[in-house]
Amino acid sequence: MTSHPVRRGGVRSSAAVLTLALTVAASGCGGSSGGSSKDYYAAIDTFCGKVTAAAQQVTTDTAAVRRDSKAPAADRYAAITKSLTRFADSTEAALTKLEQAKVPAKFSDYQKGTSAGFRTFISTLRTTAASADKNGPKALTQLQGKLNAVKLPDPPKDITANAKACASFSPKG
């Protein structure tokens, strides 16, 4: 998706960011080992569903900001940063729950890598929101590049095949 500028000030649509968020959301991760694959797929599917809902809310919020072109720029930035913070909070809550799932041994390395990646993703959202509150649009225009730099392993085919909420936006799905 392409970003569209919001009236003077350079706040950009979060559509490209959300595309990345949905892509990385397919890389679910969890905690202890020894669980069944079926339970793990269910945990990842729940995680992806929650991240998708949170990402959709950012899209909705961004569209509302774009429509409200008469609002002062500071109010528009505040609305976007508040939405990004909620996205980070929702993603972190879903990830924390997922990290409590028992993970089959065959997904152990994958899970470690994706957990670290999502923690970076969440931190990047929060840092950007805080910076945008102080510095305006510059931080927001840099967000996509920062999120693109987050390292996540490709999800195994088993996960995208069995976690239906993730399969539709998996890089390989």
Side-chain angles (χ1 to χ4, degrees):
M1 292 184 193
T2 59
S3 297
H4 300 285
V6 174
R7 199 169 162 243
R8 64 173 222 268
V11 175
R12 299 208 180 253
S13 169
S14 64
V17 172
L18 295 179
T19 300
L20 173 66
L22 294 176
T23 300
V24 298
S27 303
C29 46
S32 61
S33 62
S36 74
S37 291
K38 183 179 177 182
D39 290 343
Y40 186 60
Y41 299 145
I44 291 172
D45 201 47
T46 298
F47 171 77
C48 289
K50 289 180 179 182
V51 172
T52 299
Q56 183 58 46
Q57 186 60 52
V58 174
T59 299
T60 300
D61 294 346
T62 300
V65 167
R66 291 183 68 216
R67 283 190 306 273
D68 189 13
S69 61
K70 294 180 182 179
D75 292 351
R76 294 192 317 263
Y77 298 139
I80 294 295
T81 59
K82 185 176 181 180
S83 185
L84 289 176
T85 300
R86 276 194 311 266
F87 184 29
D89 292 346
S90 297
T91 301
E92 183 172 46
L95 181 59
T96 297
K97 178 76 174 163
L98 182 60
E99 289 173 336
Q100 296 168 358
K102 292 185 178 182
V103 180
K106 69 181 182 175
F107 297 126
S108 179
D109 289 340
Y110 164 75
Q111 180 152 323
K112 288 176 189 173
T114 55
S115 183
F118 270 104
R119 292 290 170 196
T120 300
F121 180 84
I122 292 162
S123 176
T124 301
L125 287 172
R126 286 195 174 121
T127 301
T128 299
S131 180
D133 278 342
K134 296 174 188 156
N135 303 321
K138 184 175 181 182
L140 295 174
T141 60
Q142 296 172 348
L143 180 58
Q144 182 177 357
K146 289 178 180 180
L147 291 178
N148 283 334
V150 173
K151 303 285 187 226
L152 292 168
D154 290 330
K157 289 181 183 182
D158 307 26
I159 290 174
T160 55
N162 292 288
K164 299 302 182 191
C166 301
S168 64
F169 52 80
S170 165
K172 296 188 178 206

